[in-house]
Amino acid sequence: MSALGDLSSFELQKIWEGVHVRVLHGERITLGVVELDPGSHVPEHRHENEQLGMCLSGSLVFRVADETRELGPGDTWSIPGNVPHEVQVGPEGAVVIDVFVPTRDDWR
């Protein structure tokens, strides 16, 4: 596998209804470019992975534990491992980047 690639060459994987991701795995880190359909919902969930992310386009209402905020392009999130979170996507959909440590083996 080459160290260099093109995002469009990665398979678009369904995570939830209306939520799809293109995934790049390193040895200890996972990068996901997530495409969210307008009005879609990421149900409350938690995982052992620490998660950092940024909204590239669109809007979403993000809840991390007891904190809820509307986010748009350039806004970020930081979610410690095993903390519950969920997302409601705005009417125009959204594209976000998520980074996970350790790797998201469930996304392989």
Side-chain angles (χ1 to χ4, degrees), residues 12-27:
L12 192 60
Q13 301 176 39
K14 180 179 178 181
I15 302 299
W16 285 285
E17 191 64 40
V19 180
H20 297 82
V21 66
R22 296 178 197 275
V23 181
L24 177 62
H25 295 286
E27 290 181 29

Side-chain angles (χ1 to χ4, degrees), residues 7 11 36 46 48 59 61 64 67 80-81 106:
L7 183 63
E11 176 186 353
L36 302 111
R46 63 180 78 209
E48 72 173 30
S59 65
V61 176
V64 177
E67 183 179 0
D106 58 329

Side-chain angles (χ1 to χ4, degrees), residues 7-91:
L7 183 63
S8 65
S9 69
F10 295 110
E11 176 186 353
L12 192 60
Q13 301 176 39
K14 180 179 178 181
I15 302 299
W16 285 285
E17 191 64 40
V19 180
H20 297 82
V21 66
R22 296 178 197 275
V23 181
L24 177 62
H25 295 286
E27 290 181 29
R28 296 180 300 261
I29 191 169
T30 296
L31 172 80
V33 178
V34 185
E35 301 175 17
L36 302 111
D37 290 348
S40 60
H41 180 244
V42 175
E44 180 179 305
H45 65 286
R46 63 180 78 209
H47 39 73
E48 72 173 30
N49 320 76
E50 180 179 4
Q51 178 179 351
L52 301 177
M54 180 172 64
C55 182
L56 298 178
S57 66
S59 65
L60 25 92
V61 176
F62 215 118
R63 181 180 63 78
V64 177
D66 295 328
E67 183 179 0
T68 301
R69 186 169 149 199
E70 185 168 349
L71 303 177
D75 289 331
T76 63
W77 49 91
S78 175
I79 307 170
N82 293 310
V83 171
H85 53 285
E86 70 177 316
V87 175
Q88 180 63 51
V89 183

